[in-house]
Amino acid sequence: DKNLDLARKDNNAFWYYQNRIQYSILLCSTGLFIEAKGILDSLDKNKIPVGLQAYYDSGYEGLYSSLMDYNGDDARFGTTYRDHLLEYYRAGYAGRPKTDPFSYLYLYNINIITGNYQEAMQNIQQFRKMPISNATRLFAIANYCMANVYGKLNDTENQEKYLTMAAIADIESSTKENRALQELARLLYKKGDIERSFRYIHSALDDANFYNARSRNIQISKVQPIIEEAYVRKINEQNHQLQWSVAIISLLFIGICGA
């Protein structure tokens, strides 16, 4: 709000539009989709300063991507959101020089949505050739995208590998928006690694609560009870085995004493 006041007092159009787009992205990340869309829709696309057009499109990308995640891409409205998202990815790709490494990221998203997974793999491998430091958000994004493709190709071993690398990068870069850790918990649950799955899903929930990400909370709440039930069942089984072990040891001790 203070930045917005400064932009208006200085009559600085660049600051104003940058602030509005940033605020929309912030609202979207906390699950306030209607409010985020309202801000973007209120902006005159023809008046957006040079240098902010791609940022403006990315605001819509984030909005429709979050809406698709929230509703499911096969749901009734999910199909509409997917079509809108594809439209903005194509616009983003068209607006970038083909020599720009980020053009590969747009191509990756286009191919993922349209089901061209092998092409998406090649796109993200090209993007990963950028000189990216390990402990950065970009490194996390690149590895999460790799994991996503491997998941589509049913290669769970490599999916787990790249989700782990993405989750580590999120932690090292102090990023609370850690989709990778949430997905890793889900994958480990399917593999039967209940204890780590339990730890990771609670860590993801703590981070989502930290920045009040309503949509993330809803996504986590779909799988958290299942993981917790399996974890409690495992603990109960261990306690049951421990009780039997104590009983057997006690009987053996009594037998030794009697002997």
Side-chain angles (χ1 to χ4, degrees), residues 70-122:
Y70 180 78
N71 288 274
D73 58 353
D74 293 326
R76 177 180 178 182
F77 296 105
T79 304
T80 303
Y81 299 145
R82 185 174 64 234
D83 291 342
H84 283 303
L85 181 58
L86 189 58
E87 173 190 343
Y88 281 102
Y89 278 140
R90 284 172 172 160
Y93 175 69
R96 284 187 175 274
K98 301 305 175 280
T99 54
D100 185 348
F102 282 92
S103 66
Y104 291 113
L105 194 58
Y106 281 100
L107 272 179
Y108 157 83
N109 283 301
I110 292 169
N111 284 316
I112 278 288
I113 292 176
T114 54
N116 300 315
Y117 302 135
Q118 293 295 343
E119 289 85 348
M121 176 69 77
Q122 294 173 9

Side-chain angles (χ1 to χ4, degrees), residues 39-58:
I39 289 176
L40 291 175
D41 289 347
S42 69
L43 302 179
D44 187 343
K45 187 174 182 179
N46 297 319
K47 293 182 179 180
I48 294 177
V50 176
L52 286 179
Q53 185 64 52
Y55 193 37
Y56 170 77
D57 288 339
S58 73

